[in-house]
Amino acid sequence: MSGVAWSGVLSKVVIPAVLAPVVAGLVAAAGTWLIYRITSNVGEETKDKGFRLGQIGSASLVSLAHGTNDAQKTMGVIFLALVAHGTISADADMPFWVKLTCALAIAAGTYLGGWRVIRTLGKGLVEIAAPQGMAAEASSAAIILTSSHLGLPLSTTHVATGSIMGTGLGRKGAEVRWGVAGRMAVAWLITLPSAAIVGALCWGLANIVGGLPGVLVVFAVLIALAGWMYLRSRKEPIDPSNVNAEWDGGLVPAEVPGPDARVTTDVKA
């Protein structure tokens, strides 16, 4: 237990993790209210088209913010491992291959594995329109970039979730599904201790086996578990064909009965 700087965990991880979604939600709610107030006399079609174009810029800001925070955390772990191994010194510059690897990994993960998260946030938590989407993205980017500047590690998902909930509160008549929000909050609470337990078990296994074989055993176990989770997710896939299907209380849309059953989607969204 003495190996953990608990004061740092509280001030640098726990407190920012709790405050970030709340602050992001308040900023997004205020932004959404202002957007609809300012554009109240603009036609819905024109408004929708304009904010969809605006989302290109706000989404790009979120991508930039994602790299300045989430990718930095991964780079930091790799850097610490290299220092602990003696490959580089503690005052060395970050190796370029570490930056490139993390950039490619975070891009590949976003490309391959994000549809379930997109469905939960975009359909299950709040039914968002284009103005709300731009407000949520701009709020998320502002919060994450500020946190990166202050050196505070945050979960981009936590911030984005708070922002999306805020857009539901800031738009008159919008619905926030608090049951889904509650399930997500429970998941957040168990994430940190679960990750700590898995990390301890991996270290213990590697230490028991010893040396390079121990590292390879842990790597093989993690690859196998990741593969199992991916194959399990493909049994009820979420992809562009059904990510925008109506939310009926479950993550996976119910299929229409019949031999040629398929899910109808709002392709515009």
Side-chain angles (χ1 to χ4, degrees):
M1 297 295 287
S2 61
V4 178
W6 295 105
S7 61
V9 173
L10 181 63
S11 62
K12 296 290 188 181
V13 179
V14 175
I15 293 178
V18 172
L19 290 180
V22 177
V23 175
L26 293 174
V27 173
T32 302
W33 182 83
L34 283 172
I35 283 173
Y36 279 98
R37 180 70 180 271
I38 293 171
T39 61
S40 59
N41 295 325
V42 179
E44 287 299 321
E45 185 175 346
T46 302
K47 184 189 302 183
D48 189 67
K49 181 179 179 180
F51 278 103
R52 287 187 184 279
L53 291 173
Q55 281 189 272
I56 297 174
S58 58
S60 299
L61 277 177
V62 173
S63 297
L64 173 65
H66 195 43
T68 64
N69 204 292
D70 286 54
Q72 301 300 316
K73 290 180 285 190
T74 308
M75 289 165 56
V77 172
I78 297 174
F79 186 86
L80 289 174
L82 293 173
V83 172
H85 185 260
T87 304
I88 59 176
S89 62
D91 57 352
D93 292 331
M94 182 69 69
F96 175 75
W97 68 266
V98 175
K99 300 178 184 179
L100 179 62
T101 302
C102 290
L104 293 175
I106 204 168
T110 303
Y111 178 75
L112 293 173
W115 291 111
R116 288 176 182 270
V117 176
I118 291 170
R119 174 161 175 77
T120 302
L121 293 182
K123 298 293 291 186
L125 190 62
V126 179
E127 294 275 354
I128 59 175
Q132 292 169 273
M134 184 174 171
E137 290 169 349
S139 302
S140 298
I143 298 298
I144 298 169
L145 288 172
T146 301
S147 299
S148 298
H149 177 72
L150 297 175
L152 302 176
L154 293 178
S155 166
T156 301
T157 308
H158 289 194
V159 177
T161 301
S163 296
I164 291 171
M165 288 180 63
T167 65
L169 297 174
R171 180 187 180 186
K172 185 178 180 180
E175 176 189 3
V176 178
R177 297 187 178 96
W178 295 106
V180 177
R183 289 167 53 197
M184 293 174 65
V186 171
W188 293 351
L189 289 175
I190 65 175
T191 294
L192 281 177
S194 297
I197 292 171
V198 172
L201 291 175
C202 288
W203 182 89
L205 178 60
N207 192 54
I208 291 172
V209 178
L212 180 60
V215 175
L216 295 177
V217 167
V218 171
F219 184 69
V221 170
L222 294 177
I223 290 294
L225 289 174
W228 174 78
M229 286 187 285
Y230 176 77
L231 292 175
R232 181 178 173 82
S233 73
R234 299 312 299 166
K235 292 181 178 180
E236 295 178 322
I238 303 293
D239 53 40
S241 68
N242 62 3
V243 69
N244 286 312
E246 290 301 316
W247 185 271
D248 59 0
L251 177 64
V252 182
E255 293 190 0
V256 179
D260 298 321
R262 65 178 180 178
V263 177
T264 57
T265 65
D266 177 9
V267 295
K268 180 176 65 174

